[in-house]
Amino acid sequence: MTDTNPRPGLLRLLMVMLYDVLLLLSALLLATVIPVVLNQGQAIEPGNPIFVLYLILVSLFFYGWFWTHGGQTLGMRAWKIRVERLDGSALRWRDALVRYASAWVLLF
């Protein structure tokens, strides 16, 4: 059996990560507006666990949305990389959560 979708090389994966982290930072900056407004315009205390959890959930939604709706983040789309299930179908939210949690585990 031949692999019709070979694994992308390290350089392509790093470029996807660079694209996506820039987009994620933009999304996180926009998402920060809500807590700052709720905090009456004051800065959020550094290390606030609720704020940290909020940002983690925003990033889960960011990646999860792209992975479950077409299998590509914008960075993946630019570099023609797709994530999909073994049967070729799109990831479900459960799959996206496992993928996201795995990335956190590997990070630490």
Side-chain angles (χ1 to χ4, degrees):
M1 182 167 110
T2 60
D3 191 5
T4 57
N5 295 318
R7 294 187 186 275
L10 179 62
L11 180 61
R12 284 179 65 197
L13 290 175
L14 291 173
M15 293 308 294
V16 167
M17 288 170 44
L18 177 64
Y19 275 46
D20 286 342
V21 78
L22 292 173
L23 292 168
L24 177 61
L25 285 174
S26 299
L28 292 175
L29 284 171
L30 287 174
T32 300
V33 169
I34 296 168
V36 169
V37 167
L38 292 175
N39 201 30
Q40 299 167 345
Q42 299 298 313
I44 307 299
E45 291 293 322
N48 181 323
I50 295 172
F51 181 65
V52 171
L53 178 63
Y54 169 71
L55 293 180
I56 289 171
L57 291 174
V58 167
S59 51
L60 167 63
F61 183 76
F62 173 86
Y63 284 112
W65 177 264
F66 283 112
W67 292 336
T68 59
H69 292 83
Q72 294 176 302
T73 60
L74 294 176
M76 294 168 81
R77 193 169 295 163
W79 288 90
K80 296 176 178 57
I81 295 173
R82 178 181 309 278
V83 63
E84 57 190 31
R85 297 172 53 91
L86 289 176
D87 64 5
S89 63
L91 268 64
R92 297 176 297 204
W93 272 101
R94 181 173 178 242
D95 303 321
L97 179 61
V98 169
R99 181 177 170 88
Y100 183 80
S102 299
W104 276 101
V105 168
L106 291 174
L107 187 64
F108 296 103

